[in-house]
Amino acid sequence: MDMDSVQLFLDQFKLRSEAETTWLKEMFSFITQQVCPMCPAPCAADELLTGVSSDQGVSLSVCVVKKIQKNMTVTHTLPVSYRPVSVFELVSQQHLACVSTLSWSTNQQRAWAREAELSLPGHRALPRVNLLLIGCLREGRGGEWRLTNSSGSVRCEVQSPSSMWLNRPVLLPHWNYIPHNALEQGEVGGCVELIGSPVLLCPGPEQGLAAAAEKEAGLSVREAAGLLQHRVRGQRVAVCGQVGSVSPVLVVAGTSFFCFTLTDNRHTLPVLVKVTSRLWWSQCVCVGESVCVTALRVCVLRGWRGNNILCVTDQSQIHTDNTLTHTPVEHTQTQSQSDTPVPMMSYDNDNEEEEPERDFIQSGVRVKQSRVISYQGMVTEVVSEGAGLYVIDRKVGLCLAYQPTLRRRLRAGDCVELHHVHFLFRPCPDFPPSMLCTCLRSTLRVTSFSRVGGSPPDSTCPGDGALPRLVLEKNVGVSEYLWACHLSSQLSHSLVPSVLKQQCACVLSWKLMDFVWRRGRRRRDIYSEMLDEPHTCPLTEYSVDPGVHQYISISKLIQSLQSDCWSSVSLSSLLPPDGSSLTRSQINTALSWSCRTLTPDPQNNRQTGETLRRRPLLLVGVLELPSLASEHKRTLQLRDSTGAVACVVSEEEEGGQRAAFKHFNTAWIGCLVCVQQFTMVTERFLQSDFPSYQHLDQDRFITHKNCRVYLQFSLDHVHILSPSVAMVTHLRRMGEGPAGDVTDRKQTVEEQEGGQTAGRKRRRTGDTSVATTTQACVSMVIRVEQKEGVAWRNTGVELKKEEVGLTLSFSVRAAMIGPVVRWGRDPKNGPMTDREAEKDWDGKVVLVFSGVSARWFPLLQPGCFYRLIAANTQDPSVLIGSGVSGRSRVELHTDPTLQVRSDWRFHTLISPLLLHTCRQTLSPSVLSVSQVLDSSSELVCFQGLVSDRINLNYRTSDTHTGVRLTMCDQTGRSLQVYLDLSHTPYPPGLLPGNMLLLSGFHRKLSRSGSVYCSSSPVSSITVTSLGDTSSAHPPPVPIMHLGLWAVSTEQRCIVSQVRGHIVCFLFLHLQWSCSVCGSDYTQSCSSSQCRSTSSLFQSKAKVVMDDGTGEAHVWFSGALVRPLLKLADSQWEGLQRALRVKGHIRVYPQGRSLVCDPECDDPLLHFLLCVCSTDVVGRPISLTCRKLSNQRPEELRRFSRGDRDFMTRMVPALQLKCLHIHTD
């Protein structure tokens, strides 16, 4: 350092303290080392250095100090607390966002920080640092501005830049610094934000419109527009006008460019800027500003139908008046509760009243047209930085995805000005109703930088902007994009961490958007979007679909179902229509079990009263084996990071035995799937002791209540997002890839697997059953022949000391297809090899599953082939079963037993074609309900439709031990099945409307000869087909003739439909009874020991019915008596009131001749006798009846005629109970 220069510099500042002298020396050293080498020579402020040497370092240093003093509130002292900082030091050592304000006092800084934090609650104001930035503003890549000194450069963002600042040494008195780690962009060096105008340190040439007018006369926009029609080679013109629009900088095929338009309110002139040295104009050109651009030439823009356009050349200069004459910009506020947005300033000619006329319906979805407006506001929330989603003024959404990614990402607290932005109203129900979306013609300018620090990085979308890149590539609508962004945010929180990373959440949401929306794509013309009049772009039209699918996590689904389980239902609605006439035991039995089913589409749930939501639901999760903690041990489960739910799955049969069990393929384990169509089932269990119907609103009679929640869906409605390795192999063998929904997913998996080792092919769930491994193993191919039911048994196998007791277990009898084979790597479900099957191999084995291995119960089915794999061993003996030792000369006919270990795996194999035909034996025959009724076998396997379910009994706990199912087939014949659930896990899916396969059930005859079935310890239940459980209607019952039904000795048909004529009334009994003890009830209970004040009305009737083939005595009770008597509701209610005093009445018409009751003067009796004898009652009728089991046998009767006696065999009348009266 030249000491003379230092002394010359110090001499300019007299009477300074030692601290100020040291500060001046450091400032001089910094200027000469960091700033002077970057400044053009000569660069000196001569007017400030009168009589001083022309040394550039001295003159520039003096200028800097003078400028610093001028910008301070106190000018009589130097800011010794501030120190100059080089760009390198700022970038390398300043790791926290900060602000530097030279002219502010401490009180001003505190007030500024307090105001910033009050405007954005939850954010902290930027901390203040005492640093001085001095350097030269230079142009960077892609039109960015950079502050440069000898140590390096850093990107600068300027609010209102001027061309006079470029290539000039400047002092920055007010600035923010945001390091790259705060921006989460991976950009080296961070960003300097100029919150005030820089101070120029060297004079420059005069610029502006006045200076441009003196140098060169500019054409008006109208005059220049005529030049576009007549292109003259080599012509250069200057054009003056007002900026109408500014497009963002685009990069196409490696070329960067942007466009802006000049207007004079009548004509519009497009200007193309693709000269690299002029790209910095993109920050200087502002909408509404008057500019003059020189040296423009007319060129042809290929790809744009307008063709001719003005282009900027290397000699072009831009002159501004530095005074923004903006068009009026409204700070618009919209009310989210309103159905119509408040008016906004728009550039089109459409009025607010004309907007509804521009809406139309396309493919069932409302399509609306957006409005082009200007808007100014403050960013209050960063929804997703990577996806370009923000919230302005806490109520207006902002989407920047249809523009290239901003160099500077917006931060909460930024004040922005938007021009030519599209206003959309309710494009997506997951976002604010009012949305602003920018296209390639929109202009976004930050008018004031944020004063608060950035919030933690969001996990909605990765910082590299995967979703906006997909928008540019695929050109989807804004409604679809917003839906995908919201789904990505939810998936990033709910997906199993070991399955997907954050980047995959974006890609998966995009795949789901393609699957759910299924809409065509339109080609995007970027030049037309920027330059055409009238303006058209992907945002011009948008769809409004309030019923679009809504993703929900599994935990939220379970919580909503459980919380709404009892609140959505009244106990009286769970009773039959004649619930008010039920006795105490009948009421509590009817309430003991009930079921509620909901579909994802709320439109289908109106009859159930479900009004909790308005949009269909969507589930995403991994299919897994049931966990040890799951309450449903018999089914698969769907799991995400928030929870798991049991699933009863099925698949539509396509014919053949294999198709019936196709859905039990083990390849589904580990697949990430999307379930769009499913049924949410909530089974309610209630233990109560209600005395009567009138006490149902009193919760004190409820002793315990519980519910079970699970899902039902068909695998035909499951969309595979990420298949397991086994599923990829299975689909490849089945040839379903090109035609199925998993085409893209399958190809993606194969591409990902191509360059990786076998040990790390796929990221799977925590379940080791789906993890790819290269460890050695042994395997054996088996065919399941018989499977017993899962139950709690005392096996004592592989139990720890604290686990001694009942263990969940079941066993499978299987045929061994071949010997045990060694493998160097896990074969999974690959094709069967020749060494795995031997023609003469014939062996049986009993596989015992207990504890953890019992999870395989829902996937192992008779008739299917499996490869059993024992990992981490090469010893074939581990898969060889042990026999039972017997005494000498005792022949044992038992199969060897093999205990399945917890780490063994099963893989479903397609029926191997290389096996000999005799080896491919069929599964045990499955009977129908009619065949079971006609069969004589004691142990049956049959399939049927559940038409009714009744809980028989339960203990004091919530474990129900008895269930009676009524099964029927297509013929309408029914069979009752009794299940003992005292030692088995609760089986879900036993709902009316579902098709069940029951294996190993006992066929029994009751004392009256009726056929029924009951479960045994080896019984197994499988749900094979799912029906509409909310409105399940069993097949119509068969029609029987009374004569044939009466003489039938076999009780094969219990319920049938009969048609005949009512011959006469035999009996009618009407009674008011005590609901507690059952005694007669008049004004009070007739029993002296009962103090009950509740009563119920009961009615019974017995008629004779004849259909021409025979007669039957038909019993009616409850709500069926009124339609039998053909009484109106008002007449029936009046009859009940009239009977209140007497309490009861019995009417015995006694056959075909009416005989009066001893109380012949009773008008009520006469009324009922008249009703029973009218032709209205004695009419043709069609009934559904159940045959009573207490049929009397034939008896001998003696008749006398004169002096002779006759003996004859009399068949008693057929006894039927009416279940339903057909009105047609």
Side-chain angles (χ1 to χ4, degrees), residues 332-344 355 368 373 375 383 389-399 418 421-437 478 482 542:
T332 307
Q333 296 182 355
T334 59
Q335 300 296 329
S336 59
Q337 296 83 358
S338 176
D339 292 334
T340 304
V342 297
M344 285 181 164
E355 184 176 1
K368 301 183 66 176
I373 65 170
Y375 190 91
V383 179
L389 296 175
Y390 306 87
V391 175
I392 304 178
D393 301 331
R394 295 185 175 88
K395 61 184 63 177
V396 180
L398 176 62
C399 175
L418 297 162
V421 63
H422 291 264
F423 173 79
L424 296 79
F425 192 63
R426 300 188 187 278
C428 180
D430 298 313
F431 284 84
S434 300
M435 288 293 300
L436 300 177
C437 298
V478 62
L482 294 176
Y542 64 99

Short mmCIF file of all heavy atoms in Angstrom, two decimals, residues 332-344 355 368 373 375 383 389-399 418 421-437 478 482 542:
data_model
loop_
_atom_site.label_atom_id
_atom_site.label_comp_id
_atom_site.label_asym_id
_atom_site.label_seq_id
_atom_site.Cartn_x
_atom_site.Cartn_y
_atom_site.Cartn_z
N THR A 332 -56.75 -6.44 -4.61
CA THR A 332 -58.08 -7.03 -4.54
C THR A 332 -58.15 -8.05 -3.43
O THR A 332 -57.24 -8.81 -3.22
CB THR A 332 -58.42 -7.72 -5.87
OG1 THR A 332 -58.22 -6.76 -6.91
CG2 THR A 332 -59.84 -8.20 -5.89
N GLN A 333 -59.26 -8.02 -2.74
CA GLN A 333 -59.52 -9.01 -1.70
C GLN A 333 -60.81 -9.74 -2.06
O GLN A 333 -61.82 -9.12 -2.36
CB GLN A 333 -59.67 -8.35 -0.34
CG GLN A 333 -58.39 -7.67 0.12
CD GLN A 333 -58.55 -7.08 1.49
OE1 GLN A 333 -59.63 -7.11 2.06
NE2 GLN A 333 -57.48 -6.55 2.03
N THR A 334 -60.76 -11.07 -2.03
CA THR A 334 -61.93 -11.87 -2.37
C THR A 334 -62.45 -12.55 -1.13
O THR A 334 -61.70 -12.86 -0.20
CB THR A 334 -61.57 -12.94 -3.41
OG1 THR A 334 -60.54 -13.76 -2.86
CG2 THR A 334 -61.08 -12.32 -4.69
N GLN A 335 -63.73 -12.78 -1.11
CA GLN A 335 -64.37 -13.45 0.02
C GLN A 335 -64.56 -14.91 -0.33
O GLN A 335 -65.24 -15.25 -1.29
CB GLN A 335 -65.73 -12.82 0.31
CG GLN A 335 -65.64 -11.33 0.65
CD GLN A 335 -64.87 -11.10 1.93
OE1 GLN A 335 -64.88 -11.93 2.83
NE2 GLN A 335 -64.19 -9.98 2.02
N SER A 336 -63.94 -15.80 0.42
CA SER A 336 -64.03 -17.22 0.12
C SER A 336 -65.42 -17.76 0.34
O SER A 336 -65.77 -18.80 -0.19
CB SER A 336 -63.03 -18.00 0.99
OG SER A 336 -63.31 -17.78 2.35
N GLN A 337 -66.24 -17.06 1.15
CA GLN A 337 -67.58 -17.57 1.39
C GLN A 337 -68.51 -17.24 0.24
O GLN A 337 -69.59 -17.81 0.13
CB GLN A 337 -68.14 -16.96 2.68
CG GLN A 337 -67.36 -17.36 3.93
CD GLN A 337 -66.15 -16.51 4.16
OE1 GLN A 337 -65.85 -15.61 3.38
NE2 GLN A 337 -65.42 -16.77 5.22
N SER A 338 -68.12 -16.35 -0.62
CA SER A 338 -69.01 -15.94 -1.70
C SER A 338 -68.89 -16.90 -2.86
O SER A 338 -67.84 -17.43 -3.15
CB SER A 338 -68.64 -14.53 -2.15
OG SER A 338 -69.42 -14.16 -3.26
N ASP A 339 -69.99 -17.12 -3.54
CA ASP A 339 -69.98 -17.98 -4.71
C ASP A 339 -69.48 -17.26 -5.95
O ASP A 339 -69.15 -17.88 -6.94
CB ASP A 339 -71.38 -18.54 -4.97
CG ASP A 339 -71.81 -19.50 -3.88
OD1 ASP A 339 -70.91 -20.10 -3.27
OD2 ASP A 339 -73.02 -19.65 -3.65
N THR A 340 -69.45 -15.94 -5.93
CA THR A 340 -69.00 -15.16 -7.07
C THR A 340 -67.92 -14.21 -6.61
O THR A 340 -68.09 -13.48 -5.63
CB THR A 340 -70.16 -14.36 -7.69
OG1 THR A 340 -71.19 -15.28 -8.03
CG2 THR A 340 -69.71 -13.63 -8.93
N PRO A 341 -66.75 -14.20 -7.27
CA PRO A 341 -65.68 -13.30 -6.83
C PRO A 341 -66.05 -11.86 -7.06
O PRO A 341 -66.78 -11.52 -7.98
CB PRO A 341 -64.49 -13.74 -7.70
CG PRO A 341 -65.10 -14.34 -8.92
CD PRO A 341 -66.39 -14.97 -8.46
N VAL A 342 -65.49 -11.01 -6.21
CA VAL A 342 -65.73 -9.59 -6.39
C VAL A 342 -64.99 -9.13 -7.64
O VAL A 342 -64.02 -9.74 -8.06
CB VAL A 342 -65.25 -8.81 -5.16
CG1 VAL A 342 -66.03 -9.21 -3.94
CG2 VAL A 342 -63.76 -9.04 -4.93
N PRO A 343 -65.43 -8.06 -8.28
CA PRO A 343 -64.82 -7.64 -9.55
C PRO A 343 -63.36 -7.31 -9.38
O PRO A 343 -62.93 -6.73 -8.39
CB PRO A 343 -65.65 -6.41 -9.94
CG PRO A 343 -66.93 -6.54 -9.18
CD PRO A 343 -66.58 -7.23 -7.91
N MET A 344 -62.56 -7.67 -10.39
CA MET A 344 -61.15 -7.33 -10.44
C MET A 344 -60.87 -6.56 -11.73
O MET A 344 -61.58 -6.74 -12.73
CB MET A 344 -60.28 -8.59 -10.44
CG MET A 344 -60.19 -9.27 -9.09
SD MET A 344 -59.14 -10.71 -9.22
CE MET A 344 -58.81 -11.01 -7.51
N GLU A 355 -69.77 -13.53 -17.48
CA GLU A 355 -68.94 -14.69 -17.18
C GLU A 355 -69.71 -16.00 -17.22
O GLU A 355 -69.23 -16.98 -17.79
CB GLU A 355 -68.25 -14.52 -15.84
CG GLU A 355 -67.30 -15.65 -15.51
CD GLU A 355 -66.56 -15.39 -14.22
OE1 GLU A 355 -66.81 -14.35 -13.60
OE2 GLU A 355 -65.74 -16.24 -13.84
N LYS A 368 -64.82 -23.67 -17.43
CA LYS A 368 -64.97 -22.22 -17.30
C LYS A 368 -63.82 -21.53 -18.01
O LYS A 368 -62.76 -22.12 -18.24
CB LYS A 368 -65.01 -21.81 -15.83
CG LYS A 368 -66.13 -22.44 -15.03
CD LYS A 368 -66.15 -21.93 -13.60
CE LYS A 368 -66.50 -20.47 -13.53
NZ LYS A 368 -66.61 -19.99 -12.12
N ILE A 373 -56.33 -10.34 -15.43
CA ILE A 373 -56.38 -9.19 -14.54
C ILE A 373 -54.97 -8.79 -14.14
O ILE A 373 -53.99 -9.42 -14.52
CB ILE A 373 -57.20 -9.50 -13.27
CG1 ILE A 373 -56.47 -10.58 -12.46
CG2 ILE A 373 -58.61 -9.94 -13.61
CD1 ILE A 373 -57.05 -10.80 -11.08
N TYR A 375 -52.89 -7.62 -10.44
CA TYR A 375 -53.08 -7.80 -9.00
C TYR A 375 -51.80 -7.41 -8.28
O TYR A 375 -50.69 -7.60 -8.79
CB TYR A 375 -53.44 -9.24 -8.70
CG TYR A 375 -53.90 -9.50 -7.27
CD1 TYR A 375 -55.24 -9.43 -6.94
CD2 TYR A 375 -52.99 -9.80 -6.27
CE1 TYR A 375 -55.67 -9.66 -5.65
CE2 TYR A 375 -53.40 -10.03 -4.98
CZ TYR A 375 -54.75 -9.96 -4.68
OH TYR A 375 -55.18 -10.19 -3.39
N VAL A 383 -46.79 -22.30 -0.02
CA VAL A 383 -47.43 -23.62 0.04
C VAL A 383 -46.45 -24.69 -0.42
O VAL A 383 -46.26 -25.70 0.25
CB VAL A 383 -48.70 -23.64 -0.83
CG1 VAL A 383 -49.35 -25.02 -0.80
CG2 VAL A 383 -49.68 -22.59 -0.34
N LEU A 389 -46.27 -22.81 -5.72
CA LEU A 389 -47.59 -22.51 -5.16
C LEU A 389 -47.43 -21.62 -3.93
O LEU A 389 -46.64 -21.93 -3.03
CB LEU A 389 -48.32 -23.80 -4.79
CG LEU A 389 -48.64 -24.73 -5.96
CD1 LEU A 389 -49.25 -26.03 -5.44
CD2 LEU A 389 -49.58 -24.05 -6.95
N TYR A 390 -48.21 -20.53 -3.91
CA TYR A 390 -48.13 -19.57 -2.82
C TYR A 390 -49.53 -19.07 -2.48
O TYR A 390 -50.50 -19.34 -3.21
CB TYR A 390 -47.24 -18.37 -3.21
CG TYR A 390 -45.86 -18.76 -3.69
CD1 TYR A 390 -45.63 -19.07 -5.03
CD2 TYR A 390 -44.79 -18.84 -2.81
CE1 TYR A 390 -44.37 -19.44 -5.48
CE2 TYR A 390 -43.52 -19.20 -3.24
CZ TYR A 390 -43.32 -19.51 -4.58
OH TYR A 390 -42.08 -19.87 -5.01
N VAL A 391 -49.63 -18.33 -1.38
CA VAL A 391 -50.87 -17.67 -0.99
C VAL A 391 -50.57 -16.19 -0.80
O VAL A 391 -49.59 -15.82 -0.13
CB VAL A 391 -51.45 -18.27 0.31
CG1 VAL A 391 -52.67 -17.48 0.76
CG2 VAL A 391 -51.83 -19.72 0.09
N ILE A 392 -51.41 -15.36 -1.42
CA ILE A 392 -51.25 -13.91 -1.33
C ILE A 392 -52.37 -13.36 -0.46
O ILE A 392 -53.54 -13.74 -0.61
CB ILE A 392 -51.30 -13.25 -2.73
CG1 ILE A 392 -50.23 -13.88 -3.63
CG2 ILE A 392 -51.09 -11.75 -2.64
CD1 ILE A 392 -50.25 -13.32 -5.04
N ASP A 393 -52.02 -12.49 0.45
CA ASP A 393 -52.99 -11.81 1.32
C ASP A 393 -53.87 -12.80 2.08
O ASP A 393 -55.03 -12.51 2.38
CB ASP A 393 -53.86 -10.86 0.51
CG ASP A 393 -53.04 -9.80 -0.20
OD1 ASP A 393 -51.98 -9.45 0.32
OD2 ASP A 393 -53.47 -9.34 -1.28
N ARG A 394 -53.34 -13.97 2.36
CA ARG A 394 -53.98 -15.00 3.17
C ARG A 394 -55.27 -15.58 2.56
O ARG A 394 -55.95 -16.35 3.20
CB ARG A 394 -54.30 -14.47 4.57
CG ARG A 394 -53.07 -14.13 5.38
CD ARG A 394 -53.43 -13.73 6.80
NE ARG A 394 -52.21 -13.52 7.58
CZ ARG A 394 -51.57 -12.36 7.65
NH1 ARG A 394 -52.05 -11.32 7.00
NH2 ARG A 394 -50.47 -12.24 8.37
N LYS A 395 -55.59 -15.23 1.34
CA LYS A 395 -56.85 -15.73 0.79
C LYS A 395 -56.82 -15.98 -0.71
O LYS A 395 -57.72 -16.61 -1.24
CB LYS A 395 -57.98 -14.76 1.11
CG LYS A 395 -57.82 -13.37 0.55
CD LYS A 395 -58.96 -12.45 1.01
CE LYS A 395 -58.94 -12.29 2.51
NZ LYS A 395 -59.98 -11.35 2.99
N VAL A 396 -55.81 -15.51 -1.40
CA VAL A 396 -55.73 -15.69 -2.85
C VAL A 396 -54.55 -16.60 -3.16
O VAL A 396 -53.42 -16.34 -2.73
CB VAL A 396 -55.57 -14.34 -3.57
CG1 VAL A 396 -55.48 -14.55 -5.09
CG2 VAL A 396 -56.73 -13.42 -3.24
N GLY A 397 -54.80 -17.68 -3.87
CA GLY A 397 -53.74 -18.59 -4.26
C GLY A 397 -52.98 -18.09 -5.47
O GLY A 397 -53.52 -17.36 -6.32
N LEU A 398 -51.73 -18.49 -5.59
CA LEU A 398 -50.88 -18.11 -6.71
C LEU A 398 -50.15 -19.35 -7.21
O LEU A 398 -49.50 -20.04 -6.43
CB LEU A 398 -49.88 -17.03 -6.29
CG LEU A 398 -48.85 -16.61 -7.35
CD1 LEU A 398 -49.54 -16.01 -8.56
CD2 LEU A 398 -47.82 -15.65 -6.76
N CYS A 399 -50.26 -19.60 -8.51
CA CYS A 399 -49.59 -20.74 -9.15
C CYS A 399 -48.66 -20.22 -10.23
O CYS A 399 -49.10 -19.53 -11.16
CB CYS A 399 -50.63 -21.70 -9.74
SG CYS A 399 -49.91 -23.07 -10.67
N LEU A 418 -48.48 -8.33 -10.22
CA LEU A 418 -48.76 -9.27 -11.29
C LEU A 418 -49.55 -8.57 -12.39
O LEU A 418 -50.53 -7.87 -12.10
CB LEU A 418 -49.57 -10.46 -10.76
CG LEU A 418 -48.88 -11.33 -9.70
CD1 LEU A 418 -49.91 -12.16 -8.95
CD2 LEU A 418 -47.85 -12.23 -10.35
N VAL A 421 -52.30 -11.71 -15.47
CA VAL A 421 -52.39 -12.98 -14.75
C VAL A 421 -53.82 -13.49 -14.87
O VAL A 421 -54.78 -12.70 -14.95
CB VAL A 421 -51.96 -12.78 -13.27
CG1 VAL A 421 -52.90 -11.84 -12.56
CG2 VAL A 421 -51.90 -14.12 -12.55
N HIS A 422 -53.98 -14.79 -14.89
CA HIS A 422 -55.30 -15.40 -15.07
C HIS A 422 -55.95 -15.61 -13.70
O HIS A 422 -55.35 -16.19 -12.79
CB HIS A 422 -55.17 -16.75 -15.79
CG HIS A 422 -54.76 -16.63 -17.21
ND1 HIS A 422 -55.65 -16.62 -18.26
CD2 HIS A 422 -53.52 -16.49 -17.77
CE1 HIS A 422 -55.00 -16.49 -19.39
NE2 HIS A 422 -53.70 -16.41 -19.13
N PHE A 423 -57.18 -15.15 -13.60
CA PHE A 423 -57.98 -15.36 -12.39
C PHE A 423 -58.91 -16.55 -12.60
O PHE A 423 -59.68 -16.60 -13.56
CB PHE A 423 -58.80 -14.12 -12.05
CG PHE A 423 -59.75 -14.33 -10.90
CD1 PHE A 423 -59.29 -14.30 -9.60
CD2 PHE A 423 -61.09 -14.59 -11.13
CE1 PHE A 423 -60.15 -14.51 -8.54
CE2 PHE A 423 -61.96 -14.80 -10.09
CZ PHE A 423 -61.49 -14.76 -8.78
N LEU A 424 -58.82 -17.53 -11.70
CA LEU A 424 -59.64 -18.73 -11.75
C LEU A 424 -60.40 -18.85 -10.44
O LEU A 424 -59.84 -18.60 -9.36
CB LEU A 424 -58.80 -19.99 -11.98
CG LEU A 424 -58.02 -20.12 -13.29
CD1 LEU A 424 -56.73 -19.32 -13.25
CD2 LEU A 424 -57.68 -21.58 -13.58
N PHE A 425 -61.64 -19.26 -10.54
CA PHE A 425 -62.48 -19.38 -9.34
C PHE A 425 -62.81 -20.86 -9.09
O PHE A 425 -63.42 -21.51 -9.93
CB PHE A 425 -63.77 -18.57 -9.50
CG PHE A 425 -64.54 -18.41 -8.21
CD1 PHE A 425 -63.99 -17.73 -7.15
CD2 PHE A 425 -65.79 -18.97 -8.07
CE1 PHE A 425 -64.69 -17.58 -5.97
CE2 PHE A 425 -66.51 -18.83 -6.90
CZ PHE A 425 -65.95 -18.13 -5.84
N ARG A 426 -62.34 -21.35 -7.98
CA ARG A 426 -62.53 -22.74 -7.55
C ARG A 426 -62.04 -23.76 -8.58
O ARG A 426 -62.78 -24.67 -8.97
CB ARG A 426 -63.99 -23.02 -7.21
CG ARG A 426 -64.54 -22.13 -6.09
CD ARG A 426 -65.93 -22.59 -5.66
NE ARG A 426 -66.54 -21.67 -4.72
CZ ARG A 426 -66.29 -21.63 -3.42
NH1 ARG A 426 -65.43 -22.48 -2.91
NH2 ARG A 426 -66.89 -20.76 -2.63
N PRO A 427 -60.81 -23.65 -9.05
CA PRO A 427 -60.31 -24.69 -9.97
C PRO A 427 -60.02 -26.01 -9.28
O PRO A 427 -60.02 -27.05 -9.92
CB PRO A 427 -59.03 -24.07 -10.53
CG PRO A 427 -58.56 -23.15 -9.44
CD PRO A 427 -59.80 -22.61 -8.79
N CYS A 428 -59.77 -25.96 -7.97
CA CYS A 428 -59.48 -27.19 -7.22
C CYS A 428 -60.00 -27.01 -5.80
O CYS A 428 -59.71 -26.00 -5.15
CB CYS A 428 -57.97 -27.47 -7.20
SG CYS A 428 -57.52 -28.97 -6.30
N PRO A 429 -60.78 -27.96 -5.30
CA PRO A 429 -61.35 -27.79 -3.95
C PRO A 429 -60.32 -27.85 -2.84
O PRO A 429 -60.65 -27.52 -1.70
CB PRO A 429 -62.34 -28.97 -3.86
CG PRO A 429 -61.86 -29.97 -4.86
CD PRO A 429 -61.23 -29.18 -5.97
N ASP A 430 -59.09 -28.24 -3.12
CA ASP A 430 -58.06 -28.33 -2.08
C ASP A 430 -57.29 -27.02 -1.90
O ASP A 430 -56.41 -26.95 -1.05
CB ASP A 430 -57.07 -29.45 -2.41
CG ASP A 430 -57.74 -30.81 -2.46
OD1 ASP A 430 -58.50 -31.10 -1.54
OD2 ASP A 430 -57.51 -31.55 -3.43
N PHE A 431 -57.59 -26.02 -2.70
CA PHE A 431 -56.88 -24.75 -2.65
C PHE A 431 -57.88 -23.61 -2.43
O PHE A 431 -59.08 -23.82 -2.50
CB PHE A 431 -56.08 -24.53 -3.94
CG PHE A 431 -54.83 -25.35 -4.02
CD1 PHE A 431 -54.85 -26.66 -4.46
CD2 PHE A 431 -53.62 -24.82 -3.61
CE1 PHE A 431 -53.71 -27.42 -4.52
CE2 PHE A 431 -52.46 -25.56 -3.67
CZ PHE A 431 -52.50 -26.87 -4.11
N PRO A 432 -57.38 -22.40 -2.14
CA PRO A 432 -58.31 -21.27 -1.96
C PRO A 432 -59.22 -21.11 -3.17
O PRO A 432 -58.84 -21.42 -4.30
CB PRO A 432 -57.36 -20.07 -1.79
CG PRO A 432 -56.09 -20.65 -1.27
CD PRO A 432 -55.98 -22.00 -1.90
N PRO A 433 -60.45 -20.62 -2.95
CA PRO A 433 -61.38 -20.48 -4.08
C PRO A 433 -60.85 -19.57 -5.18
O PRO A 433 -61.03 -19.85 -6.36
CB PRO A 433 -62.64 -19.89 -3.42
CG PRO A 433 -62.52 -20.24 -1.98
CD PRO A 433 -61.07 -20.26 -1.66
N SER A 434 -60.18 -18.49 -4.79
CA SER A 434 -59.64 -17.55 -5.77
C SER A 434 -58.18 -17.91 -6.05
O SER A 434 -57.36 -17.92 -5.13
CB SER A 434 -59.74 -16.11 -5.27
OG SER A 434 -61.09 -15.77 -5.03
N MET A 435 -57.88 -18.19 -7.31
CA MET A 435 -56.53 -18.58 -7.71
C MET A 435 -56.04 -17.67 -8.82
O MET A 435 -56.79 -17.33 -9.75
CB MET A 435 -56.50 -20.03 -8.18
CG MET A 435 -56.66 -21.06 -7.09
SD MET A 435 -55.27 -21.13 -5.94
CE MET A 435 -53.91 -21.54 -7.04
N LEU A 436 -54.78 -17.26 -8.73
CA LEU A 436 -54.10 -16.51 -9.78
C LEU A 436 -53.03 -17.42 -10.39
O LEU A 436 -52.23 -18.00 -9.65
CB LEU A 436 -53.45 -15.24 -9.23
CG LEU A 436 -54.40 -14.22 -8.57
CD1 LEU A 436 -53.59 -13.06 -8.02
CD2 LEU A 436 -55.43 -13.74 -9.57
N CYS A 437 -53.03 -17.53 -11.70
CA CYS A 437 -52.08 -18.40 -12.39
C CYS A 437 -51.38 -17.61 -13.49
O CYS A 437 -52.04 -16.90 -14.26
CB CYS A 437 -52.78 -19.62 -12.99
SG CYS A 437 -53.58 -20.68 -11.77
N VAL A 478 -54.72 -26.79 -15.30
CA VAL A 478 -54.36 -26.26 -13.99
C VAL A 478 -55.11 -27.00 -12.89
O VAL A 478 -54.56 -27.20 -11.79
CB VAL A 478 -54.63 -24.75 -13.93
CG1 VAL A 478 -56.10 -24.45 -14.13
CG2 VAL A 478 -54.13 -24.15 -12.64
N LEU A 482 -53.04 -28.70 -9.81
CA LEU A 482 -53.25 -28.36 -8.40
C LEU A 482 -53.63 -29.59 -7.60
O LEU A 482 -53.19 -29.76 -6.45
CB LEU A 482 -54.34 -27.29 -8.29
CG LEU A 482 -54.00 -25.92 -8.89
CD1 LEU A 482 -55.20 -24.99 -8.78
CD2 LEU A 482 -52.78 -25.31 -8.21
N TYR A 542 -60.46 -23.77 -17.93
CA TYR A 542 -60.13 -24.69 -16.84
C TYR A 542 -61.40 -25.41 -16.41
O TYR A 542 -62.52 -24.91 -16.58
CB TYR A 542 -59.49 -23.95 -15.66
CG TYR A 542 -60.38 -22.94 -14.98
CD1 TYR A 542 -61.07 -23.24 -13.81
CD2 TYR A 542 -60.55 -21.66 -15.51
CE1 TYR A 542 -61.88 -22.32 -13.18
CE2 TYR A 542 -61.36 -20.73 -14.90
CZ TYR A 542 -62.02 -21.07 -13.73
OH TYR A 542 -62.82 -20.15 -13.11
#
